[in-house]
Amino acid sequence: MKSSDKREDFKLDLPRRPRRMRRTASLRGMMQETYVRVEDLIAPLIVKESGEKEPVGSMPGLFRLNIEDLVAECRELAGLGVLAVAIFPNMDASLKDAEGSEAGNPETLTLRAVKAIKEAVPEISVITDVALDPYTSHGHDGVLNAEGSYVMNDETVARLCEMAVLQAKAGVDIVAPSDMMDGRVGAIREALDEAGYIDTAIMAYSAKFASAYYGPYREAVGSASAAGTTLLGKETYQMNPANRREAIMDALMDEDEGADFVMVKPAGAYLDIIRELRDASQVTLAAYQVSGEYAQIHAAAKLGWLDYEKTRDESLLAIKRAGADVILTYFAKEVAKKLRA
Ligand code: PBG
């Protein structure tokens, strides 16, 4: 601007003015590249043995549900168009031991819950967690060595195969190993095929980071009280949050071993991993917006520091934009309701 120019006479000679397409709602609508759809959402649900529904303190709106209430919740979700639920058990402390023996019980809570859902709401896909942490007294995802200092890989994988076959037998559509043991996807695929469950799919928690964002979940399923802490260190099996190449490598291994989905978890703090994996892999990509991501938005909104709905919707849109095909999120039901309205 020359000092002689009046401000109103000042004109930029621009070949392109991006704001031109932001002027009206209609123009902005045509420009929108990414949408969150009901079909993208998977609802994680917590099942418990009996009693009234119980709120989870650090996760407002999430409840531990008995099987009957869980089935009702699945019916409502299916009615809203949600395609899948992921079931996690809140186990009574009396059923936990160092080996997580209860995971091998053919009548364990999760399996009864799966049968009840598939009977009442067959159209909703049911995903079950394959990991020992809800069942172990120490809260780790596997079996410990004699010194109690290290989670043993191959011994744990053998247990996971057993769990996955029991889940398939109960009628689950997708088994989801969340344990991060090496070689478990291939071993589970083989065990399922051998038992005749060739159509049971595998959603591999492939790039699962050793994250502080899991704290509220550990309260929800009770693995924190068993272990005496929400910050149990799982870094000998979950991934280092600093590592990008390792995450892609491990996820591609899962794909090679036969995973039908690969997953990045948590989601919001790992959008770069989601994008890179979407570009590197050919299978369906899931992202898990975990308990701490949910709790964070609720907490800030409660303090009046963030707008709840806008922050929630933006957090999901960002995960979708990064490249996720489906999103496991505790916001699933309320967002489905909003999208349906
Ligand atoms: C472990 C498992 C975790 C979550 C689900 N299954 C993490 C952990 O305890 O290490 C976290 C889910 C969440 O935070 O929402 N098998």
Side-chain angles (χ1 to χ4, degrees), residues 199-215:
D199 285 328
T200 305
I202 300 177
M203 177 183 282
Y205 284 66
S206 300
K208 176 168 179 178
F209 292 90
S211 172
Y213 286 96
Y214 305 146

Side-chain angles (χ1 to χ4, degrees), residues 51 57 67 198 214 244 246 321 332:
I67 293 182
I198 56 169
Y214 305 146
R244 193 165 54 88
E246 185 191 8
R321 189 199 63 236

Side-chain angles (χ1 to χ4, degrees), residues 44 59 88 129-134 139 141 178-179 205 208-209 211 213-218 221 223 232 234 237-238 265 288-292 330:
M59 301 180 72
F88 297 93
D129 194 44
V130 184
L132 291 176
D133 58 300
D141 292 33
S178 68
D179 54 288
Y205 284 66
K208 176 168 179 178
F209 292 90
S211 172
Y213 286 96
Y214 305 146
Y217 166 88
R218 293 184 188 172
V221 298
S223 64
L232 183 65
K234 297 191 176 181
Y237 43 106
Q238 297 178 352
K265 176 184 182 183
Y288 197 141
Q289 184 182 50
V290 302
S291 56
Y330 302 96

Side-chain angles (χ1 to χ4, degrees), residues 50-249:
S50 59
E52 293 291 292
K53 64 177 195 172
E54 270 166 18
V56 178
S58 52
M59 301 180 72
L62 184 75
F63 297 87
R64 303 185 191 96
L65 305 171
N66 65 34
I67 293 182
E68 199 184 327
D69 291 341
L70 181 78
V71 169
E73 185 76 2
C74 291
R75 192 175 284 118
E76 190 181 349
L77 286 162
L80 290 165
V82 172
L83 300 180
V85 292
I87 309 298
F88 297 93
N90 174 253
M91 300 304 294
D92 197 278
S94 67
L95 292 172
K96 301 187 188 209
D97 61 24
E99 281 77 43
S101 318
E102 174 65 16
N105 175 0
E107 287 299 318
T108 192
L109 175 61
T110 297
L111 301 178
R112 282 179 282 125
V114 170
K115 285 179 207 156
I117 298 168
K118 289 313 296 187
E119 200 173 296
V121 197
E123 68 273 25
I124 204 158
S125 288
V126 179
I127 305 171
T128 40
D129 194 44
V130 184
L132 291 176
D133 58 300
Y135 308 98
T136 53
S137 42
H138 41 74
H140 278 293
D141 292 33
V143 194
L144 301 179
N145 62 2
E147 296 75 43
S149 57
Y150 190 69
V151 173
M152 294 188 293
N153 194 85
D154 300 12
E155 292 78 354
T156 299
V157 171
R159 299 288 309 285
L160 300 176
C161 289
E162 196 189 328
M163 272 182 94
V165 170
L166 287 174
Q167 292 172 353
K169 199 170 165 188
V172 87
D173 301 280
I174 304 166
V175 295
S178 68
D179 54 288
M180 292 298 283
M181 298 301 118
D182 291 336
R184 90 277 206 219
V185 172
I188 288 172
R189 184 70 273 157
E190 206 178 306
L192 289 172
D193 290 353
E194 227 162 76
Y197 300 107
I198 56 169
D199 285 328
T200 305
I202 300 177
M203 177 183 282
Y205 284 66
S206 300
K208 176 168 179 178
F209 292 90
S211 172
Y213 286 96
Y214 305 146
Y217 166 88
R218 293 184 188 172
E219 182 208 327
V221 298
S223 64
S225 51
T229 173
T230 56
L231 289 174
L232 183 65
K234 297 191 176 181
E235 58 281 333
T236 70
Y237 43 106
Q238 297 178 352
M239 240 176 285
N240 183 345
N243 293 356
R244 193 165 54 88
R245 289 195 311 266
E246 185 191 8
I248 305 305
M249 180 189 73

